[in-house]
Amino acid sequence: MYINYSQLFAIILNIGAEQYKEKYELMKKTLKNFIAVVLCVLMLMPLSFAFTASNEIIIEKNVPQVNVVGLFGTTVYEDTDDVKSDTRWPISDGRFLDLIKNEKDFLIESILTLDGDSLESRLIPKLKKLFEPYALDSSGELKNKTGIDFDWPDKSEIKKDSCIDFYYDWRLDPFATADELNRFIDYVIETSGCKKAALSAHSCGGVITNAYLSKYGSEKQQSIFLVSSAGQGTTFLGELMSGNFTLKGDSIEGFLKYLFTDSEYENLKAVAFSIINRTGIADGLLNLSDSAFSKAHDSLLNEFLIPILGTWPTIWAMTPDEYIDSAKNYVFDKIFKDDGNDYSKLIEKIENYQVSVREKRKEILLDADKNCNLGVFSCYGYSSIPVSSSWYSMTDGVVDTKYTSLGATTTKYGKALSDSRLDSADPESISPDKTIDASTCLFPKQTWFVKTIITNSFMKTFMNLWIRFFIQKSK
């Protein structure tokens, strides 16, 4: 089913959410000014929102809802003995902006003079120093004192209609996190007095949910909601982990649309860059800078990003199936090859996810659908993060729509489905803008699509209301 932004609001407000109207109005006023810092940091930002419903099952009217948050949804501290310090990930704006502020004159000079060598020798080491403490060891395990500080809610706070976030260290092995999620679900069910719980998974939470369902099944769930789930991966990570890192004018233009949607600068920035791009100026400048900064570009990827992301088992789980072999070859046979560390245990974790989830993902989800209401909510309307040759993939801004929808046929960004496909397809499966065919989804009748929806606390509130509605529905 395809619904737009205003229809989504109307549906939710019509299902008895009057008590949320004040909050809605207040949050609506703040739905502006999405700020991006530097492109490499944008690649490490949280992934987007979304969802649906579905089985002829006897259900309780109210059950607690456990939300498995997405990538970077939990604060990871550099030192868990000092959780009040500013040393945390996501890196605070203050620490990152201080770095940029202190180096602004050097950055401006390097860019204007196309001095990539100086940029590499001076800036990359400082970025590494800022981010490197959050890398795991060569086994994909914690090192030093990094970690999270998550206190489970008190029993007095858990009711039958509670909505409870499950926080976890999003760097670690999904199966280790699945064990903790299982204990948390048991605690919530027992404390609430219900027989089951509802489970919603956003972004990277879809990876954790896949591991959980693989190991523990779905018998404890009344409903499962995959909300813009990255359980099948995301193309930009697959490209990044395979060493493909590039910029094009069209890709930046598409991504700017995502960044500035609903901001006061949306039209101005879109028109301005569109003019620059269509005249060929953008690609000309990018080609010039790519030539000058190729060494810095390689260092950014090979000495900064990969040595951090490559140690996180969850990032490997978010690497799409079609990229996993090329990613392993690039990271382990090139980047990590001669660094003197033993990566056998990390590789073992990656291969365990391969055997337990990748090769059985469809069967795992079909089995879950038999036991409980299962719904999928997928967003679309944006291009991918503009750092690879696959920037044109249709996404929610980060995660590909073909993955969040569990198999929808999507066009390239800015294109439409072919006439032959439109002629042969069920009209009800085609999106109004003719960019998506939902008939190829794993659960076409249980998948909802929303175009150009924005990720923020406002939408989180609406998604939770939406999920509460479907908790009470049968297939």
Side-chain angles (χ1 to χ4, degrees), residues 7-163:
Q7 288 173 324
L8 179 63
F9 294 165
I11 290 171
I12 296 173
L13 290 175
N14 285 333
I15 63 172
E18 294 294 323
Q19 68 270 34
Y20 289 90
K21 279 189 175 179
E22 270 185 41
K23 189 172 184 179
Y24 160 69
E25 292 299 333
L26 176 63
M27 297 177 80
K28 184 178 177 183
K29 293 178 182 178
T30 65
L31 185 59
K32 298 198 183 269
N33 295 331
F34 187 94
I35 301 175
V37 191
V38 167
L39 195 56
C40 70
V41 176
L42 284 175
M43 292 186 299
L44 307 180
M45 292 176 71
L47 306 162
S48 185
F49 270 97
F51 153 72
T52 270
S54 33
N55 267 339
E56 193 73 24
I57 299 169
I58 303 300
I59 61 175
E60 298 176 82
K61 184 175 181 180
N62 284 312
V63 296
Q65 175 188 333
V66 175
N67 299 320
V68 186
V69 301
L71 194 67
F72 309 129
T74 309
T75 299
V76 171
Y77 297 94
E78 186 174 326
D79 184 350
T80 51
D81 291 338
D82 187 18
V83 297
K84 293 183 179 180
S85 74
D86 195 35
T87 53
R88 63 188 67 179
W89 186 310
I91 301 294
S92 68
D93 289 345
R95 293 176 70 200
F96 191 79
L97 291 177
D98 282 346
L99 173 61
I100 300 300
K101 186 190 304 181
N102 294 336
E103 299 291 339
K104 68 178 185 303
D105 292 337
F106 164 73
L107 286 170
I108 292 171
E109 181 182 352
S110 297
I111 291 171
L112 291 178
T113 60
L114 298 179
D115 186 0
D117 290 343
S118 295
L119 194 65
E120 177 209 10
S121 62
R122 181 164 169 175
L123 189 60
I124 299 299
K126 293 190 176 184
L127 285 171
K128 287 175 64 176
K129 183 178 179 181
L130 187 62
F131 288 85
E132 203 167 37
Y134 302 95
L136 299 180
D137 66 19
S138 60
S139 298
E141 299 288 350
L142 295 174
K143 63 179 182 179
N144 302 322
K145 294 184 177 180
T146 65
I148 69 170
D149 182 37
F150 174 37
D151 293 326
W152 288 11
D154 187 80
K155 290 185 177 181
S156 62
E157 301 174 23
I158 299 177
K159 311 296 181 185
K160 289 187 175 182
D161 59 352
S162 292
C163 182

Side-chain angles (χ1 to χ4, degrees), residues 229-244:
S229 167
Q232 290 193 338
T234 176
T235 293
F236 94 87
L237 273 179
E239 294 277 0
L240 183 71
M241 297 295 283
S242 300
N244 303 323

Side-chain angles (χ1 to χ4, degrees), residues 50-51 226 228 376-380 400-401 404-405 447-450:
F51 153 72
L226 302 178
S228 264
V376 181
F377 190 100
S378 180
C379 296
Y380 73 104
D400 308 68
T401 303
T404 60
S405 63
T447 302
W448 296 69
F449 295 85
V450 178

Side-chain angles (χ1 to χ4, degrees), residues 347-363:
I347 293 173
E348 185 178 312
K349 291 179 172 67
I350 296 169
E351 293 179 346
N352 181 46
Y353 190 85
Q354 170 85 23
V355 172
S356 302
V357 175
R358 288 185 190 278
E359 297 175 3
K360 302 176 181 177
R361 188 185 293 117
K362 181 177 179 180
E363 290 74 14

Side-chain angles (χ1 to χ4, degrees), residues 280-298:
I281 295 175
D283 277 340
L285 291 173
L286 288 170
N287 289 335
L288 182 63
S289 65
D290 188 51
S291 174
F293 295 110
S294 60
K295 191 175 179 182
H297 160 287
D298 291 341

Side-chain angles (χ1 to χ4, degrees), residues 45-47 69-73 168 170 202-205 312 314-315 318:
M45 292 176 71
L47 306 162
V69 301
L71 194 67
F72 309 129
Y168 57 96
W170 27 262
H202 165 237
S203 179
C204 176
W312 298 356
T314 298
I315 289 294
M318 290 175 64

